[in-house]
Amino acid sequence: MSDPFSIAGQWFKGNLHVHTTASDGRMTPQETVASYAEHGYDFLSITDHEAVTETAGLDDKGMLLIPGIELGGGRTDLDSSYHMVAIGAKGPMEYDTQWSAQKLIDYGTENAEFVFMAHPYWLSLTLADMIDLDGCIGLEVYNTFCHHDVGRGESGELWDDLLARDKRMLGFAVDDAHGAELDAWIGYIMVKAPACEYDDIIEAIKAGSFYSSNGPTISNIKREGDRLLVECSPCQEVCAVCPAPGLGGTNWRTEQKPPLTEIELQLFEGSDPVRIECIDAEGNKAWSNPMWLPD
Ligand SMILES: [Zn+2]
Ligand SMILES: [Zn+2]
């Protein structure tokens, strides 16, 4: 995976999951684009249910618009359907909701740039539902709509369960906005790329050159010996989350008092992979992608 903190480029803010009046959202595609542009986003993917919403005729308001779709289908262990977000749709996408999860991933990967799993906690997805699927590049570690609607927005535990079994999944924070009151302009990714151009953003995301957030900013993560140095916007807690059993570390080990902006975290034998969570005074979080540490 690419380390966004050690490569050249600029940071670009984007949301890869939002609905409009073309499915069950309340803002039109144009209103959606305008609202995200007004909130400082650099790129946006409209991902309506079951059909790719045409964006070519919209005023992009200076943002990069990436065609996308939310695919629903397959059956989980608890008899729910899977939802998946396919980004970079190459044309209209027609599929069958009776297809298996693996067939949806394969179809999405072939007809778009990449696929990630939507709101796994809300759909009660388990390790058994995910472990045998191939080609899905990640999952939503945070979904604003699911947080505000049902309090089940965060899926870090399933992410770690998969990482601990060597499933190299990326973590995406998204809005999945359906309206404009509580579920918009909150969950986002920050991508490090040469420019905010389609190919650059797609390649950077696929390489893992981004972090996720619903508030805090991570400006640097650097390894020095057996320590990880993290620089972020003022936070109450900064954690090294290690998916391996019994490992990890929080800021308390360093005896630094919040607000924390530069933190050292101890790494242990076997702290691999490790990912960082930064939590601010309001409880908002930023999530790095997992890092596999060089020896
Ligand atoms: Zn969904
Ligand atoms: Zn959705």
Side-chain angles (χ1 to χ4, degrees):
M1 277 186 197
S2 172
D3 171 10
F5 303 102
S6 69
I7 60 170
Q10 289 175 262
W11 291 105
F12 299 103
K13 179 176 183 175
N15 174 31
L16 296 180
H17 189 168
V18 64
H19 297 276
T20 72
T21 49
S23 61
D24 56 353
R26 293 201 297 281
M27 289 193 290
T28 65
Q30 185 63 70
E31 288 167 344
T32 302
V33 169
S35 81
Y36 275 89
E38 280 164 22
H39 282 79
Y41 284 69
D42 299 300
F43 64 93
L44 180 72
S45 186
I46 291 176
T47 54
D48 279 306
H49 296 285
E50 292 172 20
V52 179
T53 298
E54 184 59 61
T55 57
L58 301 179
D59 177 352
D60 63 20
K61 302 284 182 184
M63 276 193 307
L64 170 66
L65 300 180
I66 304 172
I69 185 172
E70 184 168 7
L71 309 166
R75 295 319 288 176
T76 70
D77 200 32
L78 293 175
D79 203 27
S80 169
S81 62
Y82 293 80
H83 291 198
M84 299 171 199
V85 178
I87 298 296
K90 295 168 184 169
M93 289 171 67
E94 290 175 13
Y95 72 100
D96 189 333
T97 57
Q98 301 303 309
W99 287 353
S100 70
Q102 187 61 60
K103 188 163 180 186
L104 284 172
I105 294 168
D106 294 345
Y107 174 77
T109 304
E110 200 164 301
N111 293 278
E113 304 286 355
F114 59 83
V115 173
F116 60 84
M117 196 64 68
H119 42 65
Y121 181 31
W122 179 51
L123 291 179
S124 305
L125 292 194
T126 65
L127 189 61
D129 291 316
M130 294 282 294
I131 193 72
D132 292 329
L133 299 178
D134 289 321
C136 182
I137 72 163
L139 53 72
E140 289 178 352
V141 66
Y142 182 79
N143 180 301
T144 308
F145 174 76
C146 292
H147 175 71
H148 281 288
D149 246 41
V150 293
R152 295 173 69 180
E154 204 176 326
S155 298
E157 187 172 337
L158 178 59
W159 190 14
D160 290 333
D161 285 345
L162 291 160
L163 291 171
R165 289 158 179 83
D166 211 26
K167 280 282 191 187
R168 297 199 166 205
M169 306 287 274
L170 300 167
F172 293 84
V174 302
D175 274 340
D176 197 4
H178 287 72
E181 292 86 23
L182 294 170
D183 61 1
W185 323 306
I186 294 173
Y188 61 92
I189 59 172
M190 289 297 287
V191 177
K192 187 82 156 297
C196 195
E197 304 287 345
Y198 181 91
D199 288 346
D200 289 341
I201 294 294
I202 294 291
E203 283 314 306
I205 294 172
K206 286 170 74 173
S209 184
F210 67 93
Y211 70 88
S212 285
S213 182
N214 59 25
T217 301
I218 305 177
S219 49
N220 198 14
I221 301 174
K222 188 171 65 170
R223 185 182 182 188
E224 278 187 6
D226 64 350
R227 302 210 151 222
L228 270 187
L229 311 181
V230 181
E231 294 171 33
C232 58
S233 56
C235 279
Q236 290 300 108
E237 284 182 54
V238 175
C239 307
V241 181
C242 299
L247 288 176
T250 64
N251 48 274
W252 60 263
R253 292 187 181 280
T254 65
E255 299 173 1
Q256 295 171 75
K257 297 279 176 278
L260 304 164
T261 55
E262 293 181 38
I263 309 94
E264 286 186 12
L265 295 163
Q266 175 79 49
L267 293 171
F268 301 93
E269 185 82 26
S271 302
D272 195 42
V274 58
R275 58 183 188 84
I276 298 298
E277 292 190 358
C278 302
I279 308 164
D280 71 14
E282 283 79 46
N284 301 314
K285 268 193 191 184
W287 299 261
S288 80
N289 272 310
M291 295 169 280
W292 280 266
L293 304 166
D295 292 330

